Amino acid sequence: QVQLVESGGGLVQAGGSLRLSCAASGSIRSITAMGWYRRAPGKQRELVARITSAGTTNYADSVKGRFAISRDNAKNTMYLQMNSLKPEDTAVYYCNAEFALGRYWGQGTQVTVSS
């Protein structure tokens, strides 16, 4: 079992920044990759950024150059630094942990960007 707890969401004006955190606990040694996903109103959940256990990262085209994903293994925490936020970044952001046989999800944190 793995528990994922997100924090750091909130309301910000366009052009502003937020940093999301995802604290992992439980059987975390078997995690192969972690990522951030988001679901905007009326849309399907989409991958925002992902980082493997080797440190390889990939991003959605819509956030490249603005968002940065990172991990602090000592704190068992993953981060998403979001800069130059746009109203279209408004969504519920979910933390995800991948294992060989499945994945776990956090409860989500709301990010709202006002124009």
Side-chain angles (χ1 to χ4, degrees), residues 30-36 47 49-59 69-73 78 96-98:
S30 299
I31 293 176
T32 57
M34 295 186 72
W36 289 97
L47 173 67
R50 180 176 178 268
I51 184 167
T52 70
S53 56
T56 301
T57 60
N58 63 287
Y59 297 89
I69 189 171
S70 62
R71 291 176 66 169
D72 185 334
N73 292 328
M78 177 180 64
N96 171 261
E98 298 175 25

Side-chain angles (χ1 to χ4, degrees), residues 35-40 43-49 60-63 67 88-94 105:
W36 289 97
Y37 290 72
R38 67 187 181 187
R39 177 176 285 157
K43 296 186 177 181
Q44 291 188 332
R45 185 165 55 192
E46 63 174 356
L47 173 67
V48 177
D61 288 343
S62 60
V63 306
F67 291 11
E88 51 263 44
D89 294 318
T90 295
V92 178
Y93 285 70
Y94 297 91
W105 295 92

Side-chain angles (χ1 to χ4, degrees), residues 80-114:
L80 184 68
Q81 178 66 44
M82 304 186 294
N83 299 324
S84 302
L85 282 160
K86 304 175 181 180
E88 51 263 44
D89 294 318
T90 295
V92 178
Y93 285 70
Y94 297 91
C95 172
N96 171 261
E98 298 175 25
F99 296 80
L101 297 179
R103 54 181 63 206
Y104 286 88
W105 295 92
Q107 80 286 355
T109 185
Q110 177 71 45
V111 171
T112 302
V113 184
S114 63

